[in-house]
Amino acid sequence: MANNTPEKKEEKAVEKTNFIRNIIDEDLKTGKYDGRVHTRFPPEPNGYLHIGHAKSICLNFGIASDYNGLCNLRFDDTNPSKEEVEYVESIKEDVRWLGFDWQDRLYYASDYYEQLYQYALQLTKTGKAYVCDLGSREIKDYRGTLTEPGKESPYRNRPVEENLDLFERMRAGEFADGSRVLRAKIDMSSPNLNMRDPVIYRILKATHHRTGDTWCIYPMYDFAHGLSDSIEGITHSICTLEFEDHRPLYDWFLDQLEVYHPQQIEFARLNLNYTVMSKRKLKELVDNKHVSGWDDPRMPSISGLRRRGYTRESIRDFADRIGVAKKESTVDIALLEHCLREDLNARAPRVMAVLHPLKVVITNYPEDQVEELDAENNPEEPAAGTRKIPFSREVYIEQDDFREDPPKKFFRLSPGREIRLKHAYYIKCEKVIKDEKTGEIIELHCTYDPESRGGWTNDGRKVRGTSHWVSAAHAIKAEVRLYGHLFDRENPEEEKDDTDFKNFLNPNSLEVLGDCMVEPGLAEIRPGTHCQFLRQGYFCADPDSKPGKPVFNRTVSLRDSWAKIRKKTQNAK
RNA sequence: UGGGGCGUCGCCAAGCGGUAAGGCAUCGGUUUUUGGAGCCGAUAUUCGUAGGUUCGAAUCCUGCCGCCCCAGCCA
């Protein structure tokens, strides 16, 4: 709460300056839309949303909110063969989860089918559209190429009456799929291929997830999109760069029909390194079982990030920080991780968990004694209070926290050295017990200093190392899933054209640890709960958790300067 | 070879004719009962490039170079 002062919010709002806001500011100044700002987020329900969509959602809803405007959620559902209710439900859930509210403005392009049909009729009546009997292959041939103009369809000059009759019969279902289309009559020699008599209606005898079998002709996206924006009174229709070439076409429809004219503004979509950002490719990973589903914690989907433990706050902060521009860019995933750490550092309760347990026997600690020690829940947030954790003669520490031959700058436990067990006592390593055959270290014999209760003494002793631990007798066994990048290339799509992006999947993106030991308070943790495993990272309880058998996802590790030192000295050698 | 866009630090990104914000990453230092967090500091004489206009250009003009998108009855 203390962090959410209006002041801080203002600071952030000031930072938000981008070319789209500049345009809106200008429009507001000139009164172009009578001071209205009305945006929309228009997904097609043919897959789950990913973080690239989050950028767009934050942009559209964020602008509406900052300018006292409105933002609609509209499904552009013009292709029944690829769309499903499952996707519309997941999209609604994800937008809501991100914290945005479309209130009563949930729309579907399919709501406008009748209106769009009337528009198409109007174009036909005014000689601006015609029914074409060419097959798809022929239409393609007639379209020409990038450098050569197209040829006019032999059906281009059909009389209006005949077009009307045919179009009405298309709607009535008299013709087979693909046998005829309705086309806009524009210019077959336009250098913009979108203007070469684009198809605006096709016959598709498919059941639509909302309109069922009411229709057997469906408008093309290019026809439906701009007109839907117009119908909704959108002022600023924000979309991605690839639609820049389509804007003249949308404008053409609007002008011919003489209807309200929104302004389209294009921005560069988000790319993140070490992952892919296209619904088609993500669906491919799901369909081919390279991941467990759309919500696999390695996926850049909103549902994947959510399951992984990403917070909506961190995603929205990320969206603010990456900015909006027309330059195509690939953002370093380290920025996303930074936003997450910053958020979780402030809020996540600290807890102790040992991922790779090494048993420590404290030889001078009374056999049957158990102490309840106080542990602070979050040093960043004193109000989070403390909790009790049990301490006894045998504890587990992390294998990495002990080295028989400590390298330079290693200041954790090693023979003869002393470290602090967080919130507990100083212990000193007296003896290393090994498996006689394998030489593997089985356990450590240590002594503790009773004067150091709580992990501190006033004698000026310098104890540099601090380890997390759990009491062996009280620990709960847990499964922990560690995640790495989904791909091992920074840009899996940029490699030579004919290589499949799936070749670059990181085979080590998932590591499951089955024998982790966590403090007893975590036994019945609710799925979705965030916490920091002290010194290791932020983790989130997975829905696979069962009472007494928690499962954790590592959301992101803590920054690890020891790992950095180690890497550096290794590289130096 | 047609059309539409884009090029400011390793990655994002402000800047809109008055002399290069900010964030991430990186590197130092400091602090610390998380090698976490925090704090302090460093990091583009230069804005793809070559010319031109101007007292003055990342910002205006011209040429060149590079990258992206467009030939679905997908969105």
Side-chain angles (χ1 to χ4, degrees):
Chain A
M1 276 296 174
N3 291 336
N4 258 340
T5 58
E7 261 174 50
K8 192 164 183 183
K9 271 187 183 166
E10 255 173 56
E11 267 171 42
K12 284 204 166 174
V14 168
E15 286 167 20
K16 283 195 216 168
T17 167
N18 59 53
F19 79 101
I20 297 179
R21 284 168 185 262
N22 292 345
I23 291 172
I24 294 175
D25 290 338
E26 186 61 28
D27 289 347
L28 254 20
K29 211 186 297 170
T30 61
K32 187 170 176 186
Y33 297 104
D34 307 318
R36 289 167 54 234
V37 173
H38 202 330
T39 57
R40 99 269 93 118
F41 173 62
E44 184 195 12
N46 66 345
Y48 281 60
L49 260 27
H50 54 62
I51 184 142
H53 295 110
K55 175 183 180 181
S56 175
I57 293 166
C58 293
L59 220 206
N60 280 294
F61 280 93
I63 281 175
S65 145
D66 290 348
Y67 285 92
N68 275 313
L70 299 169
C71 181
N72 300 352
L73 174 60
R74 182 182 73 241
F75 288 93
D76 272 337
D77 52 352
T78 52
N79 185 356
S81 65
K82 285 185 179 167
E83 297 154 5
E84 294 175 26
V85 280
E86 178 195 347
Y87 298 134
V88 348
E89 289 312 316
S90 75
I91 289 168
K92 287 198 280 187
E93 184 188 355
D94 289 348
V95 175
R96 234 183 269 121
W97 178 75
L98 282 170
F100 296 106
D101 185 5
W102 54 85
Q103 299 167 301
D104 58 348
R105 297 179 312 283
L106 170 62
Y107 301 127
Y108 296 80
S110 53
D111 292 339
Y112 313 136
Y113 278 173
E114 183 57 40
Q115 173 71 259
L116 293 169
Y117 176 76
Q118 293 302 327
Y119 281 148
L121 225 40
Q122 192 179 325
L123 288 179
T124 309
K125 280 180 190 153
T126 52
K128 304 285 172 44
Y130 62 97
V131 172
C132 181
D133 300 357
L134 255 25
S136 59
R137 173 70 218 197
E138 292 164 306
I139 287 182
K140 183 185 159 87
D141 290 342
Y142 275 71
R143 187 150 34 224
T145 68
L146 294 177
T147 51
E148 297 155 337
K151 280 185 305 185
E152 295 189 348
S153 161
Y155 305 97
R156 197 173 200 261
N157 295 311
R158 275 220 256 240
V160 169
E161 284 314 314
E162 188 181 340
N163 284 323
L164 244 23
D165 173 62
L166 255 15
F167 186 43
E168 272 160 15
R169 287 163 62 198
M170 277 171 63
R171 177 184 186 171
E174 287 188 29
F175 310 119
D177 283 14
S179 60
R180 283 180 231 266
V181 293
L182 184 73
R183 290 229 250 171
K185 192 193 280 191
I186 309 180
D187 178 6
M188 288 308 290
S189 61
S190 170
N192 180 347
L193 305 218
N194 294 123
M195 303 299 272
R196 320 243 263 227
D197 288 11
V199 171
I200 58 180
Y201 262 92
R202 78 285 214 186
I203 301 170
L204 205 58
K205 287 173 177 148
T207 302
H208 187 277
H209 61 98
R210 294 191 73 243
T211 59
D213 296 319
T214 308
W215 294 85
C216 64
I217 56 171
Y218 291 92
M220 297 293 290
Y221 171 87
D222 277 346
F223 187 67
H225 185 80
L227 289 170
S228 298
D229 283 342
S230 172
I231 291 167
E232 292 178 17
I234 299 304
T235 55
H236 303 272
S237 170
I238 301 167
C239 68
T240 45
L241 252 28
E242 69 270 27
F243 294 106
E244 209 150 13
D245 285 345
H246 298 236
R247 183 162 21 101
L249 176 57
Y250 303 161
D251 290 347
W252 187 90
F253 291 134
L254 265 11
D255 291 342
Q256 299 306 317
L257 264 6
E258 298 178 302
V259 293
Y260 168 78
H261 198 143
Q263 176 181 355
Q264 173 167 299
I265 306 170
E266 307 86 5
F267 73 98
R269 61 177 350 130
L270 170 67
N271 292 295
L272 267 187
N273 54 11
Y274 297 106
T275 191
V276 294
M277 204 76 81
S278 95
K279 272 195 259 181
R280 198 211 95 215
K281 283 177 178 154
L282 294 174
K283 185 168 189 298
E284 202 173 326
L285 295 179
V286 172
D287 291 345
N288 294 343
K289 307 259 194 272
H290 287 105
V291 294
S292 63
W294 283 98
D295 69 343
D296 186 300
R298 293 167 293 181
M299 294 278 274
S301 54
I302 308 286
S303 52
L305 292 169
R306 178 168 59 233
R307 184 168 180 182
R308 169 92 164 238
Y310 271 82
T311 61
R312 83 206 61 191
E313 289 83 356
S314 65
I315 292 173
R316 290 174 62 158
D317 183 33
F318 174 73
D320 282 346
R321 294 208 208 192
I322 56 177
V324 184
K326 296 193 76 158
K327 184 172 79 172
E328 302 216 35
S329 59
T330 302
V331 176
D332 193 339
I333 196 160
L335 177 60
L336 214 211
E337 295 177 340
H338 169 83
C339 294
L340 208 231
R341 289 192 184 105
E342 191 174 87
D343 184 31
L344 256 18
N345 176 54
R347 321 193 275 150
R350 272 60 169 175
V351 108
M352 294 207 278
V354 176
L355 269 32
H356 300 279
L358 172 60
K359 183 176 275 187
V360 171
V361 180
I362 301 162
T363 54
N364 61 337
Y365 193 89
E367 228 25 272
D368 297 318
Q369 183 171 309
V370 176
E371 287 179 86
E372 294 288 322
L373 300 171
D374 290 309
E376 67 182 342
N377 288 324
N378 187 346
E380 303 292 324
E381 183 58 74
T386 61
R387 68 188 183 286
K388 296 286 187 189
I389 47 174
F391 183 83
S392 63
R393 192 169 190 265
E394 294 189 353
V395 301
Y396 291 113
I397 65 168
E398 209 67 56
Q399 287 172 16
D400 278 351
D401 285 345
F402 175 79
R403 276 296 168 73
E404 198 169 15
D405 299 304
K408 221 178 257 176
K409 289 187 178 170
F410 182 89
F411 47 83
R412 301 177 186 177
L413 197 60
S414 58
R417 289 228 290 230
E418 189 174 53
I419 58 156
R420 166 175 37 245
L421 293 181
K422 180 83 174 173
H423 305 310
Y425 291 100
Y426 296 167
I427 59 167
K428 189 173 176 183
C429 177
E430 309 287 356
K431 198 175 171 190
V432 181
I433 313 294
K434 294 181 182 177
D435 182 297
E436 280 178 18
K437 283 177 199 153
T438 65
E440 183 196 355
I441 298 170
I442 301 170
E443 62 177 50
L444 265 25
H445 284 3
C446 297
T447 53
Y448 85 117
D449 177 358
E451 296 303 310
S452 62
R453 192 173 202 271
W456 187 252
T457 58
N458 288 317
D459 56 9
R461 230 188 305 177
K462 264 200 168 171
V463 177
R464 190 84 193 273
T466 300
S467 280
H468 56 277
W469 55 275
V470 291
S471 166
H474 305 85
I476 303 295
K477 207 176 204 186
E479 177 178 318
V480 173
R481 300 169 183 169
L482 306 180
Y483 302 103
H485 294 143
L486 226 202
F487 291 87
D488 40 25
R489 304 277 174 130
E490 272 215 39
N491 187 349
E493 314 180 74
E494 204 181 50
E495 310 298 325
K496 302 287 173 237
D497 334 65
D498 45 350
T499 50
D500 186 343
F501 75 100
K502 296 198 289 316
N503 291 156
F504 304 124
L505 278 163
N506 174 12
N508 305 312
S509 59
L510 169 63
E511 184 183 355
V512 179
L513 306 177
D515 300 307
C516 305
M517 294 295 184
V518 305
E519 59 174 81
L522 265 29
E524 321 229 313
I525 189 167
R526 214 177 63 249
T529 308
H530 303 277
C531 55
Q532 183 196 98
F533 286 181
L534 219 63
R535 301 206 303 138
Q536 308 197 85
Y538 296 99
F539 291 76
C540 183
D542 190 84
D544 287 348
S545 298
K546 300 277 179 297
K549 179 76 209 306
V551 176
F552 292 94
N553 296 311
R554 184 174 68 192
T555 313
V556 67
S557 63
L558 250 30
R559 297 189 68 195
D560 186 351
S561 59
W562 166 238
K564 224 175 260 182
I565 292 168
R566 223 171 20 184
K567 214 177 194 176
K568 215 192 291 177
T569 52
Q570 263 176 284
N571 289 342
K573 279 172 192 173

